[in-house]
Amino acid sequence: MSSTTLPITLGIIGGGQLGRMMAIAAQQMGIGVSVLHPSADCSAAPVSDVCVGDWTKREDLLGWAEAVDVITLEHEFVAAADLDELVRRGTPVWPQGRSLECVQDKWLQRSHLQAAGLPVPQFRAVDSWADVQLAVAELGLPLVLKTRRMGYDGHGTAIARSHQELESIWARFCPPDMEPLGQLLAEEFVPFEQELAVMAIRRRNGDCRSYPVATTVQKNYVCDYTIAPAAIPRAVGEKAQEIAIAAVRAIESVGAIGVELFLTKSGDVLVNELAPRPHNSGHYTLNGCATNQFEQHVRAVLDLPLGSTELLVPAVAMANIFGTRQGANVSLPLDAALVPAGVYLHWYGKSAERPGRKMGHLNAIASSIDRARDAAIEARDALSRWRSRDNENAGDA
Ligand SMILES: Nc1ncnc2c1ncn2[C@@H]1O[C@H](COP(=O)(O)OP(=O)(O)O)[C@@H](O)[C@H]1O
Ligand SMILES: [Mg+2]
């Protein structure tokens, strides 16, 4: 039997906040980390070695891979063929290229999950305006349109509530005088009771575990805050966890996987989408669970025993902190956010701010889900007041 012995270097494709938090978990376990990222001052830079390079260029990937033992990813936007080539040359990559291929295209992902017997909203591939009209006839309005590839945080998702909106969304996604953004996915609008998310984890040897179900609340298609445990009947929670495990098995992913779900008014659970990596909806595990999703991901891709996914607190809420201004001068007044007991700041150390960019998050633990949510949101409001006051004082633009 083989065993993992230190020293070992984990390679992470992408040095954004997810790469940073994975690197912190790995470093705590004595594992060295090298990230491949286009800029040297990425979020993960203070906690890893950065190799400046482009993950869309095979030569950059191959050159970097020589210095690492095992490779994983913080996002799914890498060509599967390039990952296969890394493996052929002797560096294991988890999750594998074929798992990523199952999710990179939202239509293929849906088709794959449906073929595996998982419940998904009704959907159609859409390549022309005639297809859109057919989709409206079959699925009705509102109709959800999504770009099949490269969508995230609502980039590439739009809900048409009228024929007029449908035309303007089509014109935006597929302008007549330009190359279309790519093929689209049309799907039924799900008037969900709430959005749920389950983090699941699969070790290289096939062992799987799931975390408690969280409620996620989106604003403008982007996760605003999450609450765990979700306030749902036990049977719904168990169903959501079973679906999450079935989903990770369906794409044979390894590591953490975020499974976004819709809970319908009639109590059905539908899969919206998968992200085969640590996920925003699992950030609560950093302060709420026995083993956080990042450590778990590192363990899984190194084929180490998985840790407990147990929630150790009555309730934990996570609130994302978004950028409000454009600029390289990112300030962080710590005082406000750090005052309340049970509130934990996770700042990503980004070198530039943009309106809407995820700059950090706050986790709040409390005796009830309502108290946890209020504490996370109050701490975020306090932080944003301090940040805007600082920006005014600095008189910057
Ligand atoms: N079929 C749908 N019905 C209702 N709301 C949807 C549907 N699909 C997406 N949404 C809303 O849009 C958000 C973003 O869509 P999603 O498919 O998760 O794309 P992204 O890749 O941008 O996260 C979802 O979290 C949900 O709030
Ligand atoms: Mg999503």
Side-chain angles (χ1 to χ4, degrees):
M1 223 176 95
S2 71
S3 65
T4 301
T5 32
L6 302 179
I8 190 170
T9 300
L10 176 66
I12 304 173
I13 299 176
Q17 67 263 25
L18 300 177
R20 172 187 172 104
M21 290 184 275
M22 260 188 237
I24 292 170
Q27 301 277 14
Q28 277 175 342
M29 297 164 77
I31 295 157
V33 178
S34 170
V35 305
L36 178 69
H37 197 88
S39 55
D41 63 351
C42 59
S43 259
V47 291
S48 58
D49 291 330
V50 180
C51 171
V52 176
D54 180 349
W55 50 72
T56 65
K57 293 203 179 112
R58 184 174 280 198
E59 61 273 21
D60 286 10
L61 281 164
L62 295 177
W64 165 70
E66 282 170 22
V68 306
D69 298 300
V70 177
I71 291 175
T72 190
L73 316 91
E74 70 155 4
H75 62 72
E76 47 279 5
F77 305 127
V78 189
D82 289 347
L83 299 182
D84 293 346
E85 183 59 23
L86 292 170
V87 175
R88 257 195 301 279
R89 295 189 183 208
T91 314
V93 180
W94 303 101
Q96 293 173 286
R98 60 191 165 87
S99 302
L100 291 186
E101 256 176 340
C102 293
V103 302
Q104 284 167 337
D105 176 320
K106 287 188 193 235
W107 179 80
L108 278 179
Q109 184 185 140
R110 275 286 153 79
S111 307
H112 200 82
L113 294 174
Q114 192 173 49
L118 286 157
V120 294
Q122 290 189 61
F123 65 102
R124 303 277 183 278
V126 158
D127 296 328
S128 65
W129 178 240
D131 289 348
V132 176
Q133 283 171 322
L134 204 60
V136 186
E138 290 173 348
L139 305 175
L141 284 172
L143 185 74
V144 185
L145 285 179
K146 299 178 180 179
T147 54
R148 281 173 57 171
R149 303 183 73 88
M150 302 300 285
Y152 72 100
D153 278 354
H155 299 290
T157 294
I159 298 175
R161 292 173 194 276
S162 63
H163 286 278
Q164 214 173 6
E165 278 183 11
L166 202 56
E167 276 175 34
S168 66
I169 292 166
W170 177 255
R172 177 150 61 86
F173 282 174
C174 298
D177 51 341
M178 279 168 58
E179 276 290 292
L181 287 180
Q183 299 153 310
L184 301 185
L185 168 72
E187 63 184 41
E188 65 170 313
F189 175 78
V190 181
F192 49 77
E193 183 76 24
Q194 46 170 302
E195 288 192 79
L196 304 174
V198 182
M199 290 308 305
I201 188 90
R202 183 164 177 268
R203 186 179 165 181
R204 264 156 54 181
N205 73 1
D207 282 355
C208 285
R209 291 191 185 181
S210 64
Y211 278 94
V213 184
T215 296
T216 70
V217 177
Q218 274 49 244
K219 209 167 158 182
N220 298 325
Y221 306 110
V222 182
C223 176
D224 188 40
Y225 64 90
T226 70
I227 310 170
I232 47 173
R234 178 190 283 263
V236 172
E238 285 169 359
K239 188 157 59 178
Q241 286 180 312
E242 273 166 29
I243 288 174
I245 299 263
V248 65
R249 291 217 162 104
I251 66 161
E252 292 180 14
S253 197
V254 164
I257 182 166
V259 183
E260 298 177 10
L261 303 160
F262 296 131
L263 172 61
T264 69
K265 294 191 172 36
S266 53
D268 291 327
V269 177
L270 305 177
V271 181
N272 175 28
E273 63 165 350
L274 311 179
R277 50 168 170 78
H279 187 254
N280 199 170
S281 66
H283 289 356
Y284 79 86
T285 64
L286 282 163
N287 300 100
C289 292
T291 316
N292 72 59
Q293 62 163 347
F294 300 100
E295 176 175 341
Q296 204 80 275
H297 182 82
V298 172
R299 290 185 188 213
V301 301
L302 295 179
D303 206 19
L304 297 169
L306 300 180
S308 162
T309 54
E310 194 186 340
L311 189 65
L312 297 179
V313 296
V316 50
M318 184 278 327
N320 279 324
I321 302 166
F322 297 101
T324 52
R325 51 196 270 286
Q326 189 85 32
N329 172 20
V330 182
S331 73
L332 174 66
L334 286 170
D335 320 38
L338 297 185
V339 172
V343 175
Y344 301 89
L345 174 70
H346 299 266
W347 188 250
Y348 305 150
K350 293 190 178 177
S351 54
E353 182 167 350
R354 278 195 310 276
R357 190 176 195 198
K358 288 176 182 162
M359 303 302 291
H361 71 268
L362 288 151
N363 282 342
I365 59 179
S367 56
S368 73
I369 56 175
D370 289 343
R371 287 202 179 107
R373 183 198 49 226
D374 290 351
I377 288 177
E378 273 163 31
R380 177 169 69 179
D381 289 347
L383 184 69
S384 93
R385 280 195 299 274
W386 282 58
R387 293 194 78 221
S388 53
R389 191 209 51 196
D390 264 25
N391 290 338
E392 274 164 30
N393 288 348
D396 74 327

